[in-house]
Amino acid sequence: MSARLAVESLAARAAARLSRLAGTGGGTTLPGKLLWKLDPGAIDALAARLPQGAVTVSATNGKTTTTAMVAEILGPRTKLAWNRSGANLVSGVASTLLDARDAELGLLEVDEAALPEVARRVRPRALLLGNLFRDQLDRYGELEHVADGWRTMVAGMGSEATLVVNGDDPQVGDLGRDRGSTVVYGLDDPRHARAAMQHAADSRYCIRCGHPYDFAAAYVGHLGDYSCPSCGHSRPELRIAARAIELNGLESASFELVTPAGSIRVALRLPGLYNVYNAVGAAALA
């Protein structure tokens, strides 16, 4: 660690301790906010110290749950720098990296609008992009604005970074179409799908030609098996999929996790198709 970064880190940690002693907060994001103002490049330097690099998780819905699932999978074998408190803006990421110390791998939940800036600085070895729903984007404007930011980010990524995308989301699934290092996941069980998308759902229109999509299966909102009858744009081939899904009311769910290495039955202590999506995404990233 450089002398400058060492001094900045000490100052940020001291500010957090003072905040806790004064009872003005838990000090979760304050160190990162201070570090970000003192030296934005400190985030780059802190991320570079992680021996195994970092991975990021972002989505409008489910990113906290998905990241916790990834932590369950990777935690027993790797010491993680994980922002488990859910502080997922740049300042929260900075605080997590500041506290990483002897961590081996950064596991970072990142706000969908903050992701391009965080990715530019952290240079993650893998990025999980889960979904884009309009109802969570009021503070940032339209869904397309965030999608454009993600597209620009992906275009600037090196081939050494792996992109993990939810192929069932038209905006997200298309991001990895021209990248070799992409893992596509989704659901493949029409028994749990509607034959048509709800009228008010997002991403109803083809992202290439604007024609309404046809849905062979619509699972959650606009997530499903889609195709455009006009230009042919369709869901990419799934590499990781959930099949034979069983939903047990408000208690739990289970599914067959299908991967290139084989299949395994997965039981969740969480209900609903949306948590099946979270679990398949976590498995794909891990």
Side-chain angles (χ1 to χ4, degrees):
M1 183 186 296
S2 69
R4 176 180 176 180
L5 181 58
V7 171
E8 292 168 344
S9 298
L10 285 172
R13 293 189 183 108
R17 287 194 293 271
L18 288 173
S19 176
R20 288 191 291 270
L21 288 172
T24 57
T28 303
T29 60
L30 181 61
K33 287 180 180 177
L34 180 59
L35 192 64
W36 178 243
K37 288 188 177 295
L38 286 173
D39 180 12
I43 297 176
D44 311 45
L46 290 171
R49 295 189 306 164
L50 294 165
Q52 297 181 25
V55 296
T56 59
V57 178
S58 193
T60 50
N61 291 327
K63 54 184 172 288
T64 300
T65 301
T66 301
T67 308
M69 289 177 171
V70 176
E72 284 287 322
I73 299 169
L74 298 182
R77 67 195 72 179
T78 305
K79 187 169 179 57
L80 301 173
W82 167 31
N83 51 342
R84 67 177 66 231
S85 69
N88 57 26
L89 297 174
V90 176
S91 56
V93 169
S95 292
T96 299
L97 295 175
L98 188 63
D99 288 338
R101 306 200 181 186
D102 60 342
E104 299 168 300
L105 175 70
L107 173 59
L108 305 173
E109 171 195 337
V110 185
D111 175 87
E112 58 274 10
L115 180 61
E117 176 67 15
V118 171
R120 185 172 71 85
R121 295 193 172 279
V122 172
R123 300 178 66 83
R125 57 185 291 188
L127 297 87
L128 168 58
L129 305 179
N131 56 66
L132 287 173
F133 281 92
R134 195 179 307 276
D135 62 347
Q136 298 293 319
L137 294 172
D138 290 345
R139 64 196 186 279
Y140 300 125
E142 290 298 307
L143 175 150
E144 291 78 10
H145 175 72
V146 175
D148 284 343
W150 282 13
R151 275 191 287 272
T152 301
M153 172 191 69
V154 170
M157 287 168 44
S159 59
E160 70 281 359
T162 298
L163 188 64
V164 183
V165 295
N166 183 351
D168 289 2
D169 188 313
Q171 293 272 15
V172 176
D174 197 63
L175 292 172
R177 196 172 295 270
D178 298 323
R179 283 184 61 87
S181 51
T182 298
V183 177
V184 182
Y185 71 91
L187 272 53
D188 185 18
D189 190 346
R191 296 180 305 125
H192 292 282
R194 299 182 304 275
M197 192 168 62
Q198 294 174 316
H199 177 71
D202 300 324
S203 297
R204 297 176 59 232
Y205 299 98
C206 178
I207 62 173
R208 293 190 178 176
C209 73
H211 193 282
Y213 283 119
D214 286 340
F215 276 78
Y219 294 109
V220 177
H222 62 273
L223 306 183
D225 185 359
Y226 52 88
S227 63
C228 176
S230 178
C231 73
H233 180 256
S234 62
R235 179 175 73 168
E237 182 179 355
L238 303 181
R239 184 176 178 193
I240 311 289
R243 295 177 182 158
I245 300 169
E246 298 297 335
L247 303 177
N248 304 311
L250 298 176
E251 299 299 323
S252 61
S254 65
F255 62 94
E256 195 78 12
L257 177 66
V258 181
T259 81
S263 302
I264 189 171
R265 192 75 193 168
V266 175
L268 299 176
R269 297 188 299 273
L270 295 169
L273 284 176
Y274 48 90
N275 278 313
V276 176
Y277 269 116
N278 293 337
V280 179
L285 177 62

